Amino acid sequence: MERIGVPTARHQSFTDSQAASAYIREQGAPIVVKASGLAAGKGAVVCHSVDQALAAAHDMLDEGTLGGAGHHIVVEEYMTGEEASLFAICDGEHFITLTPAQDHKPIYDGDKGPNTGGMGAYAPAPAMTPALVRETEERIIRPVLAEMRRLGTPYQGVLYCGLMCTESGVKVVEFNARFGDPECQILMPLLKTDLVDVLTAACDGRLDQVQVECAPEAAVCVVMASDGYPQFYEKGFEIRGLEAFADRDDLVVFHAGTAQRDGRVITDGGRVLGVTATDADIQAAVAKAYSAVDQIAFDNAYCRRDIAYRALGRA
């Protein structure tokens, strides 16, 4: 991104904790410490003090709290603005983008507490206006794909663009080579074109010949988690109420941390279910999703109660 001028945060990479600590002290706080490897969505620590950042770097590099994912870290500028996700399906040269979405990473309402793998999501995200989508396509996605072709490694697949909408424009927070979780749970119900046709065209290098249509509706996913996640939590509790949504087209309950035992569905992870509703607008989809959440029960169930609060605040 630095080489080709794609906007992102100022940053430095480190494998040595002393060098990382010196850089953190020089930059000050707030600052972000990230594991360079995959850490199940928990590898980015937003640090509001220098001491917190020093501790995060020490934990990853010296204590190995994230295993191999944290042997190499990135310390970067804390960007202010509103986060959003834009997904591009790419065939190596051409690409199409899906409905812009917004995830909710922190565990508690109001985006408080530690980051998780995602506590809920919604689309479309009003922060990503049509103008900002075009800006992202032209200043970020297109040059990245062109540079990968130039390097002899053309990219075919899903390019997840994690973005920050700042006062100076859209900047990249991260890329992933996959659909997002829980963003995928809201994007798929909105995709009217057959996904298999889109992915096949991406494999064959003919995305420019495919018309992709997304429904002009809204989708909201609320994650039902085990209380204590993302730290310590209990498993094995029976989940009740799922049968009420078996035949609904406008409600899908995605299973994440579940298992079957003696004919019962039980909790088997931190994020247990993704309850996804579609409706005419965000407000209606939020109401429908939470109505469904309130009909599902298991011991130690927890969810955020403010999913899509930024969109609702714009209404």
Side-chain angles (χ1 to χ4, degrees):
M1 286 190 282
E2 280 183 333
R3 186 172 64 251
I4 63 176
V6 169
T8 189
R10 295 189 313 274
H11 64 280
Q12 291 287 339
S13 298
F14 300 94
T15 55
D16 176 75
S17 64
Q18 290 187 335
S21 296
Y23 181 77
I24 288 167
R25 289 191 178 96
E26 176 187 321
Q27 297 298 313
I31 198 165
V32 183
V33 179
K34 289 183 174 179
S36 191
L38 294 174
K42 307 180 192 75
V45 182
V46 179
C47 304
H48 296 284
S49 70
V50 168
D51 285 346
Q52 185 185 4
L54 293 174
H58 171 74
D59 287 347
M60 292 181 195
L61 291 173
D62 297 330
E63 299 296 329
T65 54
L66 294 177
H71 290 168
H72 181 185
I73 68 170
V74 181
V75 181
E76 71 176 35
E77 166 195 9
Y78 175 81
M79 295 186 289
T80 57
E82 193 167 335
E83 284 197 62
S85 307
L86 188 64
F87 295 82
I89 300 178
C90 314
D91 69 5
E93 181 177 1
H94 314 100
F95 67 90
I96 60 95
T97 53
L98 302 178
T99 307
Q102 189 170 78
D103 187 12
H104 296 66
K105 286 287 187 188
I107 185 69
Y108 300 126
D109 287 9
D111 291 328
K112 306 295 184 184
N115 274 351
T116 70
M119 292 303 296
Y122 66 95
M128 284 295 290
T129 64
L132 287 182
V133 170
R134 288 193 297 271
E135 178 182 331
T136 302
E137 292 174 344
E138 296 306 315
R139 295 191 63 200
I140 295 172
I141 299 171
R142 198 176 303 280
V144 164
L145 294 182
E147 178 66 2
M148 294 189 76
R149 284 200 310 278
R150 188 190 71 80
L151 293 171
T153 54
Y155 182 73
Q156 290 175 277
V158 178
L159 182 64
Y160 168 128
C161 301
L163 307 167
M164 184 70 75
C165 303
T166 74
E167 290 183 354
S168 57
V170 177
K171 295 184 179 182
V172 176
V173 175
E174 64 177 353
F175 289 125
N176 284 299
R178 56 167 173 78
F179 280 112
D181 174 13
E183 294 101 325
C184 189
Q185 289 91 307
I186 53 173
L187 294 177
M188 291 304 99
L190 295 178
L191 182 63
K192 296 181 72 173
T193 308
D194 192 311
L195 179 64
V196 172
D197 294 340
V198 179
L199 298 183
T200 301
C203 291
D204 295 341
R206 50 179 181 81
L207 269 178
D208 58 328
Q209 302 171 30
V210 175
Q211 287 287 97
V212 176
E213 185 180 2
C214 295
E217 296 181 302
V220 173
C221 176
V222 177
V223 170
M224 297 186 70
S226 299
D227 191 29
Y229 172 79
Q231 258 65 69
F232 304 104
Y233 52 86
E234 296 182 69
K235 302 178 183 180
F237 299 114
E238 182 178 1
I239 304 171
R240 302 174 297 278
L242 295 174
E243 62 281 351
F245 309 105
D247 299 318
R248 295 281 295 271
D249 292 331
D250 58 342
L251 267 168
V252 182
V253 180
F254 291 96
H255 288 238
T258 68
Q260 285 188 316
R261 181 184 299 165
D262 301 326
R264 300 175 300 144
V265 179
I266 62 171
T267 66
D268 196 45
R271 291 188 300 160
V272 178
L273 302 169
V275 181
T276 300
T278 55
D279 214 310
D281 54 38
I282 293 288
Q283 187 171 8
V286 165
K288 186 181 292 183
Y290 278 112
S291 175
V293 164
D294 291 338
Q295 296 175 63
I296 300 170
F298 55 89
D299 290 353
N300 291 355
Y302 168 78
C303 71
R304 279 184 57 162
R305 286 284 170 179
D306 66 344
I307 300 303
Y309 74 91
R310 286 193 179 91
L312 296 176
R314 293 168 182 259

